Amino acid sequence: QVHLVESGGGSVQPGGSLRLSCAASTYRYKQNCMGWFRQAPGKEREGVAAINTAAGNTFYADSVEGRFTISQDTAANTVYLQMNNLEFEDAAMYYCAGSPWQCYFRSWPKLDLYKNWGQGTQVIVSS
């Protein structure tokens, strides 16, 4: 079992930035793909970004492409989500998740690909 802990959420004005972190108790041995998801009240959980931990290739939802960046520090067993130019629509609970399988273009947003989930960190976008 991999323990994932998110941090870095908070309140920010539109146009602002936040950096989320996800620390994993184990990393590359079991987590071949790490993803960030979000869920706003009344909405389904959706994929935001993902990274294959061995190759480092990344995937993004269209809604965040060019504004968000997923990255990793394998020495620290941590994956990050840099969020710039935040919009009202980005407000949600953000979760990181780990998958024992590699992510591919069509598979990475699928929730059942991921077997380990964190508790989430709240992002509020308000003027």
Side-chain angles (χ1 to χ4, degrees):
Q1 184 72 20
V2 177
H3 186 55
L4 303 175
V5 179
E6 304 97 333
S7 61
S11 182
V12 64
Q13 292 184 339
S17 298
L18 284 173
R19 188 193 196 201
L20 306 183
S21 299
C22 173
S25 58
T26 63
Y27 198 61
R28 286 182 60 182
Y29 177 69
K30 288 189 176 181
Q31 309 306 299
N32 285 307
C33 176
M34 293 292 292
W36 283 100
F37 290 77
R38 66 186 182 188
Q39 188 168 19
K43 294 188 176 181
E44 294 185 351
R45 192 170 297 191
E46 63 175 357
V48 176
I51 184 169
N52 279 318
T53 59
N57 56 314
T58 58
F59 308 89
Y60 295 95
D62 290 344
S63 59
V64 306
E65 182 87 51
R67 299 188 298 121
F68 290 12
T69 303
I70 188 171
S71 62
Q72 62 178 346
D73 181 341
T74 54
N77 288 353
T78 301
V79 64
Y80 304 98
L81 185 69
Q82 177 67 44
M83 307 186 295
N84 297 329
N85 195 19
L86 282 159
E87 303 171 352
F88 289 118
E89 293 75 17
D90 296 317
M93 184 71 79
Y94 281 71
Y95 300 89
C96 75
S99 172
W101 303 290
Q102 281 198 48
C103 286
Y104 295 95
F105 176 71
R106 296 190 186 279
S107 68
W108 76 267
K110 297 181 179 179
L111 300 182
D112 57 7
L113 183 70
Y114 301 85
K115 302 305 179 186
N116 296 288
W117 291 83
Q119 294 300 306
T121 185
Q122 186 75 47
V123 172
I124 299 170
V125 183
S126 173
S127 57

